[in-house]
Amino acid sequence: MGRFNVYQENYTDTTLVSNVFIDVYMKDANDAQLKIYLYLLRVMGAGLSTSISDMADQFNHTEKDVIRALKYWEKNHLLSLKYDDSKNISGIQLLDVSGKSGKDTTILASVVKLPAKTDVPVQKPEFVKPSYSADELKEFKSNEEISQLLFVAEQYIGKPLSPNEINTILFFFDKLGFSEDLIDYLIQYCVDKGKKDFRYIEKVAISWAQENITTPKQAAKLAGKYDKSVYTIMKSLGKSGTPTKIEADYASKWLKEYGFSQDIIGEACSRTVMATDKHRFEYADSILSSWHKKNVHNKSDIRQLDDAYAKNKSAPRPQASSAGAFNQFNQFMHTDYDFEALEQEILSN
C-alpha cells in the first residue's frame, strides 16, 4: 500500500487528545485501537508521512490489525475511511468528538491527503460470509493466530471443524474484525449455553458486530443483561433463542421484584404451557402477580390457594336476587384465580 501524505500548519510538539475521547471512548477500546488512533493524532499534528505497513511495524501488529483498528474507529464515528478502486484505504479523516455522543460528523482535520477522485463511497461493514479463495485460505493457514483460533474452536466444539465451520471463523476474524480473544469468548459463550451449531454462533457474532462489540468485556456486559435464570424461564415456557427486552423484563420482575424462586416460577410456567400456547409471558405474569398479592412464598402456599379455589368452584352458586348481586359474584370469580377467564382476557387483548 502507498504512503500517506500527512500535514498540518502551525505544528507544535504537542499532541492534543479530546477529553471526550478519554471519557467516552478510551475505556472500551483495546490496545491496538488506542495505539492507532493516538498515532494518527500524532502524525496529523506533526505533518509526518505514514502508511498501513508503517503503523503495523511501529506497534508490532499485522496490517490487518491496523485496518481492523481503523474500521473500529470508523464504526464509532471518530474517523472516516476512503477507498480507491482496488478497495485499498486511500484517505482518512478524523472527525469531531466534541459532542457528548462522539458521533458528530464534522470534519476535525484531514489526516490523509486524498487523491483527485474524492467521490469514492465509504465502504460499509459487510456481514455476509464470503467464500475464500485457495490463495486466501493458504494465507490464513500461515497465520499463527488463525491456527490457534481453529485449534481452540475444535476443543470447545469437541470435534474437527468442517470446511464451512473454518470459513465461518475466518469470517469472524477477517470481515467482522473480531480479535482472537473475542472469537474465543464468542465460541465459549455459545458452547456454555449448549449451542455448538455454527449457524447459531454466526448469528450471535453478527448481532455483536451490529452492536459494535469489539472486546470480551463488552460482550460479557451485553450477555449479562440476560443471565442463566432468564433462559431457564424461557425454556420453561417453551421458548428458545435470545429473550426480547419485554420477556427479560418479565423475568426480572418475577425474580427480583417479586422475589420468587425458580421452582415457584417453574410451577407458573408449567400451568401456563398447559393452558395456552399464546401470550405465555403475559399469562404467566398474571399467575405470578396473583400469587405475589396473595403472599405466596413456597409451593405449600400454592396448594392452599388451589384447595381454596377448588372448594369455591365446587360450592353451589347462590341465587342472585338482583343483577348487582350476580355482578359482584361474577367479579369475584374473575379476580380470584380463575384461569379460564384469565386466558380469555389475555387472548382478547
Side-chain angles (χ1 to χ4, degrees), residues 202-219:
E202 183 179 337
K203 288 180 179 179
V204 174
I206 290 176
S207 71
W208 287 4
Q210 290 171 336
E211 293 286 340
N212 291 325
I213 299 298
T214 59
T215 66
K217 182 179 178 181
Q218 292 173 325

Side-chain angles (χ1 to χ4, degrees), residues 28-57:
D28 293 325
N30 63 30
D31 179 68
Q33 292 157 359
L34 286 173
K35 288 179 179 178
I36 296 305
Y37 184 76
L38 293 175
Y39 188 69
L40 287 175
L41 293 178
R42 159 70 171 145
V43 297
M44 178 195 72
L48 300 174
S49 174
T50 191
S51 66
I52 299 295
S53 59
D54 278 354
M55 287 187 278
D57 292 339

Side-chain angles (χ1 to χ4, degrees), residues 84-143:
D84 60 23
D85 293 336
S86 300
K87 295 186 177 180
N88 294 317
I89 295 175
S90 60
I92 305 173
Q93 289 178 322
L94 292 188
L95 304 180
D96 186 10
V97 296
S98 62
K100 182 178 180 181
S101 67
K103 295 185 178 180
D104 296 335
T105 57
T106 304
I107 295 174
L108 176 64
S110 178
V111 178
V112 179
K113 185 177 180 181
L114 300 177
K117 185 177 180 181
T118 59
D119 59 348
V120 179
V122 177
Q123 191 178 48
K124 296 181 179 180
E126 295 181 0
F127 295 139
V128 178
K129 184 169 62 176
S131 295
Y132 294 103
S133 66
D135 289 339
E136 288 174 320
L137 292 175
K138 185 177 180 181
E139 180 182 351
F140 284 128
K141 188 176 180 180
S142 64
N143 186 317

Side-chain angles (χ1 to χ4, degrees), residues 331-342:
Q331 178 66 22
F332 169 78
M333 291 301 294
H334 274 268
T335 57
D336 191 36
Y337 211 54
D338 190 337
F339 289 113
E340 293 178 1
L342 175 62

